[in-house]
Amino acid sequence: MMIVANQITIRRGKKTVVHPLSFQVQEGEIFGILGSNGAGKSSLLATLATLRPVASGDVFISGHSLEGSQKFVRRAVGFVSQELALWDGETVETNMRFFAKVQGVEKDPQFLQQLCEQVSLPGVWKVPVHQLSGGMKRKLHIAIGLLHDPKVLLLDEPTVGIDLPSKREIGEFLTGWVREGRAVCYTTHDASEVERLCNRMMVLAEGRISFHGTPSEARSVTGHSNFAPFEDVFYDLLGGQYNLTQRQTEP
C-alpha cells in the first residue's frame, strides 16, 4: 500500500476538522476525495504532506510512519496545493530551475524541459508565467510537484477553474503516471472527473466518511443508473453513510 491511514484525527486549534477515519491508497491507483466546502479535504491532504500534524492515529506512506519518518515521507510525496505558487514575472524555465534548487534537486535543463512536456506543456520554456493560460499554470504547478520524483502525488483541486482540454490532458497524464508504480490522491468538486479517472473514491461530510468505495459502487448504493449524472450520486452520498470498506471488514 502506498498510503495507509489508521483512525486519524485532525484538528485546527481546538476544533476537530477530520474525525477518526481510516483508508488506504494502493500502488497504481488514482484515489479521489470529494466533499463540500469545509468537509476536511484540504486539511487531510495537508496532513498527508506533513504540513499539518495528526492529533491521533497514524499514517504510513510507502511503509513509513508520518510521525516517525517525516524526512522520508517528504521525499516520497509530491504536494500540489490549490493556490498557485509560481514566480509570475519569470519564465517557465526560471521557475523550474528555481524550485528544483529550493527542493535540492540537481537536474539538467533538458530533464526539466522534458518534465514540462510530459504534463502537456510544450513550447513554453522561455515564456513568462503571466502569459500562460490558467490550464498551463496548473500543469506547471504539477510539474514542480514532480521535480523530486515522488511515489505519491497529492493534488488539492488540480483542475479548478481551467478549460476542458486542460482537464483532459491532466487526467491523461495522471492515468499514465500511476501505471509506473505510483499513486495519486486528490481532492475535487468535479464529480464527473472522479468517475472518469478514479479507481476508488471517498466522500467526506463534516470531517467524516460518508462513502468509501468505487464509483460504480457509489451508483449502486444510491440507486442511480449509469445514465444519471454523477453529480446526483455525489449529492446523495453527502447525506448518507455508505462506507463499503467498513462494512466489508466488520464481523
Side-chain angles (χ1 to χ4, degrees):
M1 292 291 175
M2 301 299 280
I3 300 176
V4 178
N6 295 321
Q7 291 296 299
I8 61 169
T9 300
I10 303 170
R11 296 193 180 97
R12 186 184 297 123
K14 294 182 179 180
K15 180 181 179 181
T16 299
V17 293
V18 173
H19 297 269
L21 59 80
S22 300
F23 68 95
Q24 298 177 347
V25 180
Q26 303 171 15
E27 181 180 308
E29 181 174 47
I30 299 178
F31 186 83
I33 303 174
L34 293 93
S36 55
N37 290 334
K41 306 184 304 297
S42 295
S43 294
L44 176 57
L45 231 59
T47 296
L48 296 178
T50 74
L51 300 177
R52 185 184 295 276
V54 176
S56 63
D58 201 358
V59 180
F60 294 85
I61 295 181
S62 292
H64 292 259
S65 168
L66 196 69
E67 291 297 300
S69 306
Q70 282 200 0
K71 187 175 181 179
F72 174 89
V73 170
R74 286 171 180 165
R75 289 198 303 267
V77 166
F79 178 60
V80 181
S81 64
Q82 181 178 348
E83 294 76 23
L84 291 171
L86 300 173
W87 203 351
D88 209 46
E90 297 295 335
T91 64
V92 169
E93 176 185 10
T94 300
N95 272 265
M96 290 292 285
R97 286 175 176 268
F98 172 76
F99 285 105
K101 185 175 182 179
V102 168
Q103 295 181 30
V105 176
E106 294 184 6
K107 300 291 185 181
D108 60 59
Q110 184 177 1
F111 172 87
L112 300 178
Q113 191 167 1
Q114 288 174 348
L115 185 56
C116 287
E117 293 172 356
Q118 288 174 23
V119 298
S120 301
L121 199 60
V124 295
W125 190 237
K126 298 292 186 180
V127 176
V129 169
H130 68 83
Q131 293 183 10
L132 301 180
S133 68
M136 288 179 174
K137 289 180 180 179
R138 288 286 170 189
K139 294 173 193 174
L140 176 57
H141 209 208
I142 291 173
I144 290 169
L146 296 170
L147 281 167
H148 61 294
D149 193 25
K151 292 294 184 182
V152 177
L153 189 59
L154 307 173
L155 303 171
D156 193 4
E157 301 277 358
T159 60
V160 65
I162 65 175
D163 57 66
L164 181 59
S166 293
K167 281 189 177 185
R168 288 295 178 92
E169 289 170 351
I170 289 173
E172 289 170 2
F173 167 75
L174 296 177
T175 300
W177 191 76
V178 297
R179 289 180 185 148
E180 300 175 0
R182 302 183 177 102
V184 168
C185 183
Y186 81 102
T187 70
T188 182
H189 287 291
D190 190 335
S192 61
E193 187 176 71
V194 166
E195 184 176 34
R196 187 177 71 252
L197 293 177
C198 293
N199 307 91
R200 291 185 304 121
M201 55 181 278
M202 179 170 68
V203 177
L204 295 181
E206 297 180 349
R208 294 180 172 86
I209 297 176
S210 66
F211 174 80
H212 186 186
T214 67
S216 62
E217 288 170 341
R219 285 191 178 275
S220 178
V221 298
T222 56
H224 287 282
S225 72
N226 290 334
F227 299 102
F230 203 70
E231 284 81 1
D232 294 347
V233 177
F234 173 39
Y235 182 80
D236 286 354
L237 291 173
L238 287 174
Q241 293 293 329
Y242 302 103
N243 192 340
L244 299 184
T245 300
Q246 181 178 344
R247 290 182 185 179
Q248 293 167 2
T249 57
E250 286 177 347

